[in-house]
Amino acid sequence: MGGEMTDFTQLGHTAAIPASPEKAVLERAANPHPGSLYLVRFTAPEFTAICPVTGQPDFGILVIDYAPDLWIVESKSLKLLLQSYRNHGAFHEDCTLAVATRVVAAIAPTWLRIGGYWNPRGGMPIDVFW
């Protein structure tokens, strides 16, 4: 998962969109302010996945908030993870929780909230607190 600045395999390099979320590598960096309580927010306003029933694209906004402990998410790798859902068939709840699970596994934040705000065809908002 990388911890040193030189360990990144995607940042500073050409990186293709992973073929699936399982193939995506979520990298991390040391928290530059350990011991400080602060909030990091990532917003993905054009998140897309495929409905596993209809095969049609579902569009939504993901908002990821977390309070880091020892690690922070490397943002390029997070963007690539989110883009890997573009051709992935899964329900909204599964996509939202799968992203939260990946972030928690990578950085073990003090606190995490992820909101999945899906367009009308996609249903109701999903908020998860970890």
Side-chain angles (χ1 to χ4, degrees), residues 1 4 11 15 42 46 48 56 62 89-90 93 98 100 108 111 118 121 124:
M1 279 203 215
E4 300 297 321
L11 183 62
F42 286 100
E46 298 175 345
T48 308
Q56 295 180 339
L62 287 187
E93 297 84 353
W111 177 85
W118 299 90
R121 187 185 154 286
M124 302 299 292

Side-chain angles (χ1 to χ4, degrees), residues 1-8 27-31 70-71:
M1 279 203 215
E4 300 297 321
M5 294 301 209
T6 57
D7 289 345
F8 298 124
E27 297 184 326
R28 66 186 186 183
N31 181 355
L70 299 177
W71 305 100

